[in-house]
Amino acid sequence: MTTYVCSRCQVHSPASALTWCCPRCRGPWDLDFTSAPVDLTSLASRVNSLWRYAEALPLATEIPHISLGEGRTPLVPLTDTVAAKLDFLSPTLSFKDRGAVMLAELARRLQPDAVVADSSGNAGTAVAAYCARAGLDCSVYVPEGTSPKKLEQIRAHGAHVVVVPGDREATAHAARQAADTTGVFYASHVYNPHFLHGTKTYVYELWEELGGRLPDTLVVPVGNGTLLLGSALAVEELYGHGLVERRPALVAVQAEAVAPLAAAFHAGADDLPEPAAARPTLAEGIAIPNPPRAAQILRAVRATGGTFHTVTEAQIRSAQLDLARRGLYVEPTGVACWAAVRATAPRPGTTVVPLCGAGAKTGLAAAPEEGNRPQSVQ
């Protein structure tokens, strides 16, 4: 296995250990892993899951792997220049499957006494499903007020649900306390870098589907930043191996109600000066007041010439209804990027937005208004 490394203080730890964070600064791990170039011409004959990109993935050398056929989600046009990647069609109905399969595969090899995760819903559901696939017992910590449909899905996979009074930060704190117990594997989509190496397959799939190219702009929702940081990893790998000629701009989207990263970015800060207030928002999946990888997220966006946008609750509602009337039923968090694209001046060239979670998980944000028609974006 590869080695964990703390980007802040350069502490190392074997990935075979159950140490979930840097013991010195309590920061998240990165992975000391170097990918090899993926052969585009060989992909047509490969396994139909994210493990098809074996050269780019840690844990890929030992087979077989657990899988639910994750990845390979459709890319469909919304306008002449904007396409959507339908990650809500993943096995557990969200993009979090991309990272969860990596965490569960690692846990399967380590055989801990217990697996714990924390989530506002989608990551916990994905970890529960893949732990079930791997034959691992799992407990998922969720904040009070989590969608009943998501709780039902987590329990259906056999996981134990621990409802924590308070907000998302209180939930994470409770899970981390449990993770400090001997023999526990913390399947954290924030602290464990294997999750990021799973989410980077989002960009590898775009590269494959577009015939060895990438769009000019990748618009990505950001709470803890797992999809954005995974995308940044893939872009750097593809560019570093000479498989793309340029890096697309990474444009990050936050809900206006909880937007600490957007505020820090536009203030020119390298990290969060202080956590944001925890305020209610329809985009619950990205309502993270104090993301542990804040500095990495800000650095990744700036490195590509990207920016941050925020969207209002009204814009989220409108975007969800607009997509539904195009045939795409997506949960409020999952429509944030489309809301941003509709509300801002178009960037030059082609753009891809992810539709991250299915509407069946939460329902409509508001009752539909009669007579509304989908809006075009030029």
Side-chain angles (χ1 to χ4, degrees):
M1 290 186 183
T2 47
T3 301
Y4 293 140
V5 58
C6 176
S7 61
R8 299 176 186 174
C9 50
Q10 301 306 305
V11 168
H12 286 67
S13 173
S16 58
L18 296 178
T19 307
W20 62 267
C21 69
C22 173
R24 182 181 297 171
C25 71
R26 302 286 284 184
W29 290 122
D30 289 330
L31 203 60
D32 185 9
F33 170 76
T34 302
S35 70
V38 175
D39 180 7
L40 182 64
T41 62
S42 72
L43 290 175
S45 62
R46 295 195 183 187
V47 62
N48 196 34
S49 74
L50 64 76
W51 294 108
R52 67 198 283 107
Y53 309 111
E55 299 94 330
L57 294 176
L59 307 178
T61 55
E62 180 183 320
I63 54 176
H65 315 98
I66 62 166
S67 178
L68 291 168
E70 58 289 327
R72 306 285 284 154
T73 55
L75 182 67
V76 300
L78 296 178
T79 74
D80 290 343
T81 60
V82 181
K85 189 154 176 59
L86 310 190
D87 260 23
F88 69 92
L89 298 180
S90 299
T92 75
L93 308 182
S94 91
F95 86 94
K96 296 291 177 63
D97 290 355
R98 295 183 183 277
V101 65
M102 300 293 292
L103 295 182
E105 175 64 22
L106 178 60
R108 182 185 70 83
R109 299 184 190 189
L110 298 180
Q111 289 295 305
D113 297 331
V115 175
V116 300
D118 61 283
S119 169
S120 59
N122 284 339
T125 299
V127 169
Y130 282 92
C131 281
R133 188 71 166 177
L136 298 166
D137 291 333
C138 176
S139 295
V140 179
Y141 289 67
V142 299
E144 59 184 356
T146 298
S147 164
K149 294 180 180 180
K150 293 181 179 180
L151 296 180
E152 179 183 343
Q153 191 179 5
I154 293 170
R155 291 189 176 108
H157 292 307
H160 174 60
V161 174
V162 181
V163 179
V164 179
D167 58 14
R168 185 67 182 82
E169 289 296 298
T171 303
H173 179 71
R176 291 166 196 164
Q177 283 187 311
D180 283 330
T181 304
T182 301
V184 172
F185 177 81
Y186 185 24
S188 172
H189 59 292
V190 181
Y191 279 80
N192 194 306
H194 286 88
F195 195 94
L196 306 181
H197 284 269
T199 61
K200 77 182 181 185
T201 60
Y202 171 82
V203 170
Y204 273 91
E205 287 180 21
L206 291 175
W207 170 75
E208 180 184 356
E209 185 152 3
L210 296 174
R213 297 181 297 106
L214 290 175
D216 297 288
T217 302
L218 294 169
V219 185
V220 187
V222 173
N224 278 309
T226 56
L227 184 55
L228 184 139
L229 290 173
S231 297
L233 273 173
V235 167
E236 289 306 310
E237 288 174 1
L238 289 166
Y239 183 79
H241 291 310
L243 297 174
V244 294
E245 295 182 353
R246 52 171 181 72
R247 300 176 178 90
L250 290 172
V251 173
V253 178
Q254 296 205 284
E256 186 178 271
V258 185
L261 291 163
F265 180 88
H266 292 298
D270 294 329
D271 204 341
L272 291 188
E274 59 184 9
R279 297 165 57 194
T281 173
L282 294 168
E284 60 182 7
I286 53 173
I288 308 298
N290 189 26
R293 295 186 183 269
Q296 289 177 284
I297 295 165
L298 293 167
R299 191 162 56 245
V301 172
R302 289 194 174 106
T304 66
T307 190
F308 271 81
H309 294 306
T310 60
V311 289
T312 66
E313 302 302 290
Q315 288 168 337
I316 292 169
R317 290 189 187 95
S318 179
Q320 187 188 32
L321 181 57
D322 178 74
L323 284 172
R325 293 189 170 177
R326 296 170 184 263
L328 302 168
Y329 189 31
V330 185
E331 68 176 351
T333 299
V335 306
C337 291
W338 179 236
V341 169
R342 296 175 79 213
T344 57
R347 293 177 69 94
T350 56
T351 295
V352 172
V353 299
L355 303 184
C356 296
K361 286 173 171 278
T362 54
L364 282 171
E369 299 176 14
E370 293 299 324
N372 281 4
R373 303 293 298 172
Q375 297 182 13
S376 296
V377 180
Q378 302 300 320

